[in-house]
């Protein structure tokens, strides 16, 4: 009884072919991963090179040497940025899974880092939360 305006007939919508990784959410997550990874990298460099810049809190349960925190952030930042680049250019499922796992670890590392640089840690936790959300809501390759 009802006619289809677009002329496809059976009532199914015709999808346009997509190029690239195919989802705005995936691009959003990949770009945030690259920038978040670079910010963690710079945070790690600052902690390694100038660990006297940070205020050391007393009686902190997860207290490490600031140089150790610097190396943790530097390594995580490099890996996150590289996975973000791989996700941006390939959109591979392994990069999505690695992105969720790595940004989850980055959230944990920044939570433990919070007494040393609270505002910076909160910003990076929020960025990583957005990355995880975007990676989880982006359509899978079979849905494109």
């Amino acid at each position: 009884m009802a006619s289809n305006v677009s002329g496809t007939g059976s009532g199914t919508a015709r999808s346009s072919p997509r190029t690239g990784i195919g989802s705005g959410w995936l691009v959003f997550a990949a770009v945030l991963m690259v920038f978040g990874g670079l910010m963690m990298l710079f945070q790690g460099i600052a902690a390694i090179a100038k660990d006297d810049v940070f205020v050391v809190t007393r009686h902190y349960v997860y207290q490490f040497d600031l140089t150790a925190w610097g190396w943790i952030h530097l390594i995580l930042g490099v890996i996150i940025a590289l996975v973000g680049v791989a996700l941006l250019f390939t959109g591979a499922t392994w990069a999505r899974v690695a992105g969720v796992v790595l940004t989850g670890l980055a959230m944990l590392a920044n939570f433990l880092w919070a007494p040393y640089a609270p505002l910076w840690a909160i910003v990076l936790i929020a960025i990583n939360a957005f990355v995880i959300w975007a990676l989880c809501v982006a359509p899978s390759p079979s849905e494109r």
Side-chain angles (χ1 to χ4, degrees):
M1 290 185 65
S3 65
N4 193 341
V5 176
S6 66
T8 57
S10 66
T12 59
R14 190 172 21 180
S15 63
S16 61
R18 293 182 177 171
T19 58
I21 62 175
S23 171
W25 290 119
L26 236 47
V27 173
F28 176 75
V31 169
L32 278 184
M33 281 180 69
V34 170
F35 285 123
L38 290 175
M39 289 192 318
M40 280 191 74
L41 173 105
F42 294 138
Q43 180 178 357
I45 290 171
I48 293 168
K50 295 274 191 176
D51 60 354
D52 57 342
V53 171
F54 296 100
V55 176
V56 180
T57 58
R58 294 185 296 173
H59 309 296
Y60 182 51
V61 176
Y62 306 107
Q63 189 170 9
F64 288 136
D65 179 46
L66 283 175
T67 305
W69 274 119
W71 282 107
I72 290 169
H73 282 85
L74 182 110
I75 292 167
L76 257 176
V78 167
I79 294 170
I80 289 171
L82 290 176
V83 170
V85 168
L87 182 65
L88 187 61
F89 288 114
T90 67
T93 303
W94 69 264
R96 292 175 69 162
V97 173
V100 170
V101 170
L102 289 170
T103 53
L105 287 174
M107 287 176 74
L108 181 64
N110 281 300
F111 172 76
L112 299 174
W113 175 259
Y116 301 108
L119 183 62
W120 190 259
I122 291 169
V123 166
L124 286 175
I125 289 170
I127 287 173
N128 288 323
F130 279 126
V131 167
I132 290 173
W133 176 76
L135 288 174
C136 290
V137 300
S140 66
S142 63
E143 293 175 354
R144 288 187 223 149

